[in-house]
């Protein structure tokens, strides 16, 4: 069974150097909330204060049960964000992972007036 998730991984920067802070501030416009999207490759977001960061992923998970898919999605999102922060040359620690399974979202039809 295939399940699609919107995963939000939050973290905190650690031990940023002056050069890293400068680089992050220079790129801020491309990583602010207006750039927020859920994508398979992940979207990297952070605020100008350079305290926390966020990655947003759109994940498709194939598992037998919804419970196993939830666990797999959590692990995949956490691993992807940890890798992505390292690849960018920063240190950080993950503080939370939020998941929304799109198959579980109920869409209410609007009543006609």
């Amino acid at each position: 069974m295939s399940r699609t998730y919107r995963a939000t991984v939050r973290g905190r920067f650690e031990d940023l150097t002056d050069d890293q802070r400068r680089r992050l501030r220079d790129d801020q416009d491309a990583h602010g909330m207006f750039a927020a999207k859920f994508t398979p490759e992940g979207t990297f977001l952070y605020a100008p204060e350079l305290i926390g960061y966020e990655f947003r992923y759109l994940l498709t998970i194939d598992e037998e049960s919804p419970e196993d898919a939830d666990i797999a999605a959590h692990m995949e999102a956490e691993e992807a964000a940890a890798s992505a922060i390292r690849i960018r040359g920063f240190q950080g620690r993950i503080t939370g992972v939020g998941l929304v399974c799109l198959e579980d979202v109920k869409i209410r039809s609007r009543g006609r007036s």
Side-chain angles (χ1 to χ4, degrees):
M1 170 192 325
S2 182
R3 292 172 61 84
T4 304
Y5 292 86
R6 286 185 173 175
T8 304
V9 183
R10 289 181 181 77
R12 293 182 69 84
F13 290 111
E14 293 182 335
D15 303 321
L16 288 174
T17 66
D18 289 341
D19 184 54
Q20 288 172 325
R21 288 179 184 282
R22 192 172 18 263
R23 194 173 61 172
L24 286 165
R25 287 194 177 106
D26 287 347
D27 291 342
Q28 172 63 52
D29 288 343
H31 299 283
M33 291 310 289
F34 291 115
K37 296 181 212 170
F38 290 92
T39 65
E41 57 280 347
T43 301
F44 179 44
L45 306 167
Y46 55 88
E49 298 81 23
L50 304 179
I51 295 169
Y53 60 86
E54 182 174 298
F55 285 95
R56 293 187 178 187
Y57 294 98
L58 184 64
L59 305 174
T60 301
I61 305 293
D62 293 312
E63 288 290 338
E64 291 294 318
S65 72
E67 295 80 14
D68 289 344
D70 290 350
I71 292 167
H74 187 280
M75 290 173 52
E76 185 173 323
E78 192 169 344
E79 289 171 10
S83 176
I85 202 73
R86 279 192 312 272
I87 288 169
R88 284 174 170 78
F90 305 114
Q91 292 182 34
R93 66 180 165 84
I94 293 173
T95 59
V97 177
L99 297 173
V100 174
C101 178
L102 299 182
E103 284 75 23
D104 292 343
V105 175
K106 298 197 186 303
I107 307 227
R108 294 189 324 207
S109 62
R110 293 183 185 197
R112 295 189 182 234
S113 304

